[in-house]
Structure formats: structure tokens, C-alpha cells
Amino acid sequence: MARPDKAAAVAELTDKFRSSNAAVLTEYRGLTVAQLKTLRRSLGENAQYAVVKNTLTKIAANEAGIALDDQLFAGPTAVAFVTGDPVESAKGLRDFAKDNPNLVIKGGVLDGKAMSADEIKKLADLESREVLLSKLAGAFKGKQSQAASLFQALPSKLVRTVDALRAKQAEQGGAE
């Protein structure tokens, strides 16, 4: 029978897995408390970084319906639970890992799908959601202005064609 404190920890981790958009598992061996504090700040307000017990985290992930590879739970593990933009948090982890090689990104989950460490690094290379949305809006605006120009050109071309026909008929009528 599970101890009440462990059952509560599993329930809390399960809730975090279910309520977050993404979760990134890392190994933090060799980082100081001050470095972990800096890491937590660099992740932003939309992420919570917690040192966890491997067995309890594995049980919580299974209860949340997330299948994670057992290799992710080797060594000391901490999880960044992301409730906002996962790209921002992935960038924070990547940038911190560049400056502090003791932080190792093991893998994670994005919208219920397991991701490898390489996939998380690719996610970090993406532009932020706001930048992507503004680029999309710019593309739509460009297409709309092209369509407006096309629709505006059709009537004016029709008028020029009709004027040319009138001039040709007047010319032919005057020649007869």
C-alpha cells in the first residue's frame, strides 16, 4: 500500500502533467542552488521547474496517459511544466544549457506526444508564437492586396477594351 505522502505527490504530478501544454525532463546533476534559481527565472512565468523523484514521476505520467521512455528517468531528474508557450520555455532551457553544460535536456512531452531531446532543441529554434502569427498576418495582407489589385484591374481593362472597340467601329464607320 502506498504511503499517503507519496500518493499525494503522484496526484500533484499527475495534475501538473494534465494541466500543462508541455513538460521537459532534464538532468540537473552538478548545478548549484543559485544556478537552479537562475534557470527557474529564465523559463518565464509560464513554466514551473521542479526536482522530482523518478519513480513517482513515471507513475504520474502513466496516470496522466503519457507514455515516456524509461531511459528518461535515469539519474537525477527535474521537470519543467509549461502552461504557456512551449517555444519560450524550450529557448530558456536551451540557452541556459549553453551556458551551463551540467543541464542536460533528456526529452519531454508536447500536447501529449513524447519528444526526444533533439526535437525539443528544434522547438527552441522556432520563432515565438507572436512572431509566427505576425508573419502569417502579413502574408494574408499581401494576398489580399494582390486580390484587390486584380479585382480593380478587371473593370479598368474592360473599359479600355470597350473604348478601343468604339474607336475601331468609329474608324470603320467613317471609312465606309
Side-chain angles (χ1 to χ4, degrees), residues 21-71:
N21 299 340
V24 180
L25 282 80
T26 63
E27 183 174 326
Y28 64 93
R29 186 187 331 243
L31 293 177
T32 65
V33 172
Q35 288 172 324
L36 288 174
K37 189 174 182 180
T38 304
L39 172 60
R40 285 185 175 101
R41 271 194 241 116
S42 71
L43 291 177
E45 295 178 15
N46 298 329
Q48 183 180 15
Y49 190 74
V51 175
V52 295
K53 293 190 180 278
N54 289 336
T55 307
L56 300 180
T57 306
K58 195 183 310 183
I59 293 168
N62 286 335
E63 286 184 9
I66 299 169
L68 293 173
D69 188 14
D70 288 343
Q71 293 177 349

Side-chain angles (χ1 to χ4, degrees), residues 2-136:
R3 292 192 344 221
D5 57 337
K6 289 186 179 183
V10 168
E12 182 182 349
L13 288 171
T14 303
D15 286 343
K16 286 182 181 180
F17 273 115
R18 287 184 179 148
S19 65
S20 61
N21 299 340
V24 180
L25 282 80
T26 63
E27 183 174 326
Y28 64 93
R29 186 187 331 243
L31 293 177
T32 65
V33 172
Q35 288 172 324
L36 288 174
K37 189 174 182 180
T38 304
L39 172 60
R40 285 185 175 101
R41 271 194 241 116
S42 71
L43 291 177
E45 295 178 15
N46 298 329
Q48 183 180 15
Y49 190 74
V51 175
V52 295
K53 293 190 180 278
N54 289 336
T55 307
L56 300 180
T57 306
K58 195 183 310 183
I59 293 168
N62 286 335
E63 286 184 9
I66 299 169
L68 293 173
D69 188 14
D70 288 343
Q71 293 177 349
L72 295 177
F73 298 102
T77 303
V79 182
F81 293 102
V82 182
T83 54
D85 185 13
V87 174
E88 179 185 337
S89 297
K91 285 182 183 195
L93 285 168
R94 178 199 59 197
D95 295 343
F96 187 85
K98 281 181 185 176
D99 297 335
N100 301 285
N102 287 335
L103 180 74
V104 178
I105 298 173
K106 296 179 182 182
V109 178
L110 177 64
D111 294 327
K113 179 190 172 276
M115 297 180 72
S116 68
D118 291 335
E119 290 172 325
I120 291 172
K121 289 175 184 171
K122 287 179 186 175
L123 180 68
D125 292 336
L126 287 177
E127 294 172 332
S128 71
R129 183 176 189 272
E130 290 77 21
V131 171
L132 291 175
L133 287 175
S134 65
K135 285 185 176 184
L136 182 64

